Amino acid sequence: MTPEAFPDEPFPADDAGNGADDAEAFEFQDEGNSLEEAVVRQLDLYFARLGGRTPHPLYELVVHAVERPLIDYAMTMCRNNQCAAAELLGINRNTLRKKLQEHGIVQARGVPRKLKEK
């Protein structure tokens, strides 16, 4: 995605202070391809390649495929600051910590995770 696909302010202010209205109005698009369309295309491809075999449970498959890179991206954007990444993701810091452990992203305390080069 290009930077133009994201709003100028990551945490838009509103009367409630949570930016919920802006988040609902914002649609992830890049050159006419929405995030939803990308997921549907990948699911279509997944089923086309199954060849009649039994599929994996879809919810777990999609959530795992999307959640790890999303969390990794947020941690990189926030320079491994879990509180800032949790705020960016809109989840509790303890929930983020649990998900970091589930995905094997978190390391021992005091050992910084290598940031991806851009």
Side-chain angles (χ1 to χ4, degrees), residues 14-36:
D14 68 334
D15 293 334
N18 63 11
D21 293 334
D22 291 332
E24 291 173 8
F26 180 74
E27 183 177 341
F28 287 96
Q29 285 193 329
D30 183 23
E31 300 174 15
N33 297 316
S34 74
L35 186 57
E36 288 180 31

Side-chain angles (χ1 to χ4, degrees), residues 24-72:
E24 291 173 8
F26 180 74
E27 183 177 341
F28 287 96
Q29 285 193 329
D30 183 23
E31 300 174 15
N33 297 316
S34 74
L35 186 57
E36 288 180 31
E37 291 170 337
V39 170
V40 170
R41 275 194 312 276
Q42 289 301 312
L43 286 171
D44 287 343
L45 184 61
Y46 172 75
F47 278 100
R49 291 180 177 171
L50 273 178
R53 294 181 303 231
T54 304
H56 289 87
L58 284 183
Y59 182 81
E60 181 181 329
L61 183 74
V62 173
V63 167
H64 187 74
V66 173
E67 189 174 60
R68 180 182 170 86
L70 177 63
I71 291 170
D72 193 45

